[in-house]
Amino acid sequence: MSYDLLKTKNLTKVFESGFLRKTYIKAVDNVNIFLKEGEVVSLAGQSGSGKTTLAKMILRVLEPTSGEIIFKDKNIWRDLKGLKDLKWYWRNVHIIFQNPFSNFNPFYKVDRTLQQALELIGIDPDSHEGKQLIREALEVVGLRPDETLGKYPHQLSGGQLQRIMIARAWIIKPKLLLADEPVSMLDVSTRGKILELFLKLRDEQKTTVLFITHDFGLAYAVSDRVMIMYRGKIIEEGTPDEIFFNPKHKYTKELIESVPMLYRKWKFEL
Amino acid sequence: MSITELLYVLFNNKRFMIGFGIILFQLLLSFMGPLLYPVDPFSTDNPPWTPPNEVYPLGTDRSGRDMLAMIFHGIRNSLYVGVLTGLFTIAMGLVVGLISGIKGGILDEILMAMTNIVMLIPSVLLAILIITYIGYENARLELVAFVLSITAWPGFARAVRSQVLSLREREFVYLSKIAGYNSLKIAFQDILPHLATFTLVSFVNYINLGINGEVGLSILGLTPMNIMTLGKILYFAAITQAFILGKWWTFIPAGLLQVLLSVSLLLIATGIDEVFNPRLRGM
């Protein structure tokens, strides 16, 4: 339980734009994080703070400018060669994106997303076993297979689509699941149920979840550890209680202040 | 939407229907005409400069060629050149645009540099050079279409590339990628379907470009002499001074059909665009 599943060393990503007069944007700036097996870690921060960039680099779809990402003693940008290694990595590290509607290609039925998962773990989607697994996964996330399979994305609701994404993660059973604001597009009543599914995944399969959010309230509710990201840097890290009751950085205080709560009127500073 | 639903919407679109009707009429002319009116368009056995009468429905030109037969064969060959130009252009543009957009990096730089260079070459000049080099006696309709598409593809390639650049950042593309799909599979399964309507509209527009380009090259006398096209009819009218002599039957019908063909293709293109682009619906 104690070894690090994934860690980053001085991870930096600089976006450059322009041709003659170049402008540089440091999206992720010298980030050192570690993730242990079976924990839910939240990465909170405002939009544009580099959360998604960090997730994409960990997912190995966006190349970092400098720094290393080590997963199970392998530097993922240097040691993984060929599609076989990459498939191994993506079997272990998977992602759920923010917008349930853009997770699905509108030209295909939602089944495709789950069939891709089966292909990734080497099961023929047309086999009896594969079909059985898809139905099972859908039942785990609380969907009725007969009502879900064979539908196009626009025929289902955001909550249903996001559940299908979790079913995909359930089929793949990754060691690390990156959840990039998985509930921010959903209504509040659906949120709780989706969050429960993440915790279930953690409890049943020992999946580490990196939960990316801009909502400190959510981060506080689900995670074992919280990291606060601000302008590309991790400015604070600790258990939710530590950070909630004893925030050190000015931005963290603002973030906590901005969580709407019952029985408290919002104070606006004009 | 299923295919039948799509077709239903498409055929309910007025512009598309009018354009489609005209094209269908011209296709019928070009395929049924030679069967019902089996006259050799190159035969010079008829009296010259005959105005339209019972024997020669559209008259004859200075060499005594039958105008109606010329038009029947002309439409068919003009459409052939057009469709071929469309196919060539779309094929080249899609390949370059897709590779450039998906692969990126140095390959993208090279391909885009090439595209920019080709874009700068004046199309008619290049066509004249190529055909003069090969010799117009050896030139065939396929070569005419090829020459026309050689300078037409860069615009389409750039448009495809920019769409691919935006599509490849979409989440479902990432999800296909992390499911272990290679670039080729992603290109065909995730990206190409999104380009389908744009490609279809462009295809129709490039058919148009091919037909008009062929007329342009024909009037310059750069297309094969032994194949009748609408452009060739206008060319014959021009070299026999029919415009000056007022022999209207040698160029008005062919010119009208050519304009009609162009208009109908434009109508089809805008019709398809209206149906598939929700922002244009109901306009």
Side-chain angles (χ1 to χ4, degrees):
Chain A
M1 275 298 279
S2 62
Y3 81 100
D4 294 345
L5 183 68
L6 179 135
K7 61 185 170 202
T8 67
K9 275 186 205 160
N10 304 328
L11 196 63
T12 304
K13 177 73 190 178
V14 181
F15 289 110
E16 58 174 61
S17 58
F19 183 60
L20 289 174
R21 195 178 298 160
K22 283 189 173 157
T23 49
Y24 297 96
I25 298 162
K26 260 192 179 172
V28 174
D29 190 1
N30 253 328
V31 165
N32 295 292
I33 60 167
F34 64 93
L35 300 169
K36 289 189 195 309
E37 201 167 298
E39 65 174 352
V40 176
V41 182
S42 283
L43 184 64
Q46 65 188 11
S47 32
S49 61
K51 305 178 304 258
T52 303
T53 309
L54 182 59
K56 280 183 179 167
M57 284 193 286
I58 294 177
L59 190 63
R60 208 195 178 281
V61 291
L62 188 69
E63 196 166 358
T65 313
S66 66
E68 293 175 351
I69 303 169
I70 315 278
F71 178 80
K72 286 192 173 176
D73 303 327
K74 279 187 181 163
N75 181 334
I76 61 160
W77 280 100
R78 211 188 51 221
D79 298 339
L80 300 180
K81 289 182 189 82
L83 200 59
K84 206 174 148 234
D85 282 358
L86 286 174
K87 274 186 169 177
W88 167 82
Y89 184 67
W90 287 323
R91 262 202 304 277
N92 282 299
V93 179
H94 223 74
I95 197 167
I96 292 173
F97 287 109
Q98 173 177 14
N99 186 343
F101 297 99
S102 61
N103 274 332
F104 293 85
N105 191 334
F107 284 97
Y108 297 95
K109 291 172 180 163
V110 292
D111 311 21
R112 179 175 185 250
T113 308
L114 299 171
Q115 285 162 355
Q116 282 182 339
L118 288 176
E119 281 170 34
L120 184 62
I121 58 170
I123 295 176
D124 181 12
D126 294 322
S127 68
H128 179 72
E129 189 193 358
K131 281 178 183 160
Q132 195 57 41
L133 209 57
I134 286 181
R135 299 183 80 84
E136 216 175 296
L138 288 173
E139 273 158 16
V140 167
V141 297
L143 290 170
R144 290 195 203 101
D146 297 323
E147 289 176 11
T148 319
L149 294 174
K151 292 260 172 69
Y152 284 95
H154 66 92
Q155 294 171 309
L156 297 172
S157 73
Q160 284 172 313
L161 292 175
Q162 213 62 323
R163 277 167 199 262
I164 294 174
M165 289 312 297
I166 296 174
R168 172 172 158 134
W170 188 87
I171 291 175
I172 296 171
K173 298 184 175 53
K175 285 267 176 272
L176 169 61
L177 183 62
L178 308 169
D180 187 1
E181 311 218 14
V183 292
S184 62
M185 300 277 286
L186 305 176
D187 59 276
V188 186
S189 56
T190 324
R191 270 183 198 183
K193 286 168 193 152
I194 301 275
L195 289 176
E196 260 171 39
L197 288 172
F198 280 106
L199 298 179
K200 194 172 165 186
L201 219 58
R202 193 261 312 254
D203 295 339
E204 284 177 4
Q205 300 177 1
K206 291 268 172 294
T207 307
T208 307
V209 180
L210 179 63
F211 191 82
I212 299 168
T213 180
H214 54 247
D215 186 342
F216 187 78
L218 276 179
Y220 182 83
V222 296
S223 39
D224 304 322
R225 201 148 57 80
V226 178
M227 294 183 286
I228 310 286
M229 201 167 182
Y230 180 65
R231 294 199 176 166
K233 285 192 168 96
I234 302 283
I235 52 165
E236 209 158 335
E237 189 185 343
T239 64
D241 285 324
E242 274 171 26
I243 289 181
F244 187 72
F245 293 113
N246 191 15
K248 291 185 186 74
H249 198 277
K250 186 170 156 284
Y251 172 70
T252 316
K253 286 175 193 157
E254 268 176 42
L255 196 67
I256 293 167
E257 276 292 298
S258 62
V259 177
M261 272 187 278
L262 289 176
Y263 312 117
R264 194 190 77 184
K265 276 279 174 223
W266 221 333
K267 295 191 293 283
F268 290 103
E269 284 169 34
L270 291 169
Chain B
M1 265 203 273
S2 63
I3 302 284
T4 41
E5 268 179 286
L6 274 181
L7 286 180
Y8 181 78
V9 179
L10 208 52
F11 280 99
N12 263 337
N13 183 290
K14 252 184 229 148
R15 286 171 212 223
F16 181 83
M17 268 321 285
I18 295 172
F20 191 72
I22 298 174
I23 283 282
L24 217 57
F25 168 69
Q26 301 227 9
L27 274 174
L28 263 177
L29 274 189
S30 66
F31 281 96
M32 298 305 290
L35 296 177
L36 299 174
Y37 191 77
V39 177
D40 179 11
F42 286 100
S43 156
T44 48
D45 298 340
N46 315 304
W49 289 140
T50 320
N53 58 23
E54 305 84 54
V55 192
Y56 306 108
L58 281 177
T60 60
D61 71 356
R62 196 179 70 176
S63 318
R65 284 175 286 238
D66 189 302
M67 290 311 299
L68 190 62
M70 280 164 93
I71 279 174
F72 285 152
H73 286 85
I75 295 173
R76 189 200 294 190
N77 288 328
S78 276
L79 272 171
Y80 177 66
V81 172
V83 171
L84 222 52
T85 310
L87 283 178
F88 286 160
T89 311
I90 294 296
M92 281 192 259
L94 268 185
V95 169
V96 172
L98 277 176
I99 292 176
S100 200
I102 290 174
K103 285 287 173 193
I106 188 79
L107 201 60
D108 178 33
E109 300 268 336
I110 294 171
L111 285 175
M112 279 303 112
M114 213 173 76
T115 310
N116 287 342
I117 291 170
V118 177
M119 232 174 196
L120 287 172
I121 299 173
S123 58
V124 178
L125 189 65
L126 185 72
I128 291 174
L129 285 175
I130 292 178
I131 295 179
T132 328
Y133 181 71
I134 293 175
Y136 72 86
E137 315 82 28
N138 305 325
R140 313 212 348 239
L141 287 183
E142 288 82 6
L143 180 81
V144 173
F146 177 71
V147 162
L148 287 170
S149 47
I150 251 183
T151 47
W153 63 267
F156 182 64
R158 290 198 70 119
V160 167
R161 173 181 172 267
S162 58
Q163 291 215 16
V164 172
L165 282 184
S166 113
L167 279 168
R168 72 166 192 191
E169 298 296 321
R170 301 273 280 275
E171 281 88 345
F172 56 79
V173 174
Y174 282 125
L175 285 172
S176 289
K177 190 176 174 182
I178 62 174
Y181 282 24
N182 59 25
S183 308
L184 202 66
K185 212 167 169 185
I186 290 177
F188 275 97
Q189 294 197 357
D190 281 308
I191 291 178
L192 266 184
H194 287 265
L195 297 174
T197 51
F198 174 65
T199 306
L200 193 61
V201 171
S202 304
F203 175 60
V204 176
N205 282 330
Y206 285 120
I207 294 179
N208 209 346
L209 184 127
I211 291 172
N212 290 325
E214 189 274 330
V215 172
L217 290 181
S218 286
I219 287 184
L220 292 172
L222 291 168
T223 52
M225 276 299 167
N226 53 349
I227 302 170
M228 193 54 70
T229 61
L230 288 180
K232 212 82 229 170
I233 296 175
L234 296 178
Y235 168 72
F236 285 137
I239 58 165
T240 54
Q241 295 188 319
F243 303 132
I244 299 163
L245 298 172
K247 312 289 184 192
W248 57 269
W249 60 90
T250 58
F251 54 88
I252 295 258
L256 266 181
L257 281 170
Q258 140 78 10
V259 170
L260 220 61
L261 212 54
S262 243
V263 167
S264 66
L265 286 167
L266 280 175
L267 283 174
I268 287 179
T270 40
I272 295 173
D273 212 15
E274 261 175 32
V275 168
F276 290 107
N277 188 349
R279 264 174 290 180
L280 293 174
R281 257 182 224 167
M283 268 169 71

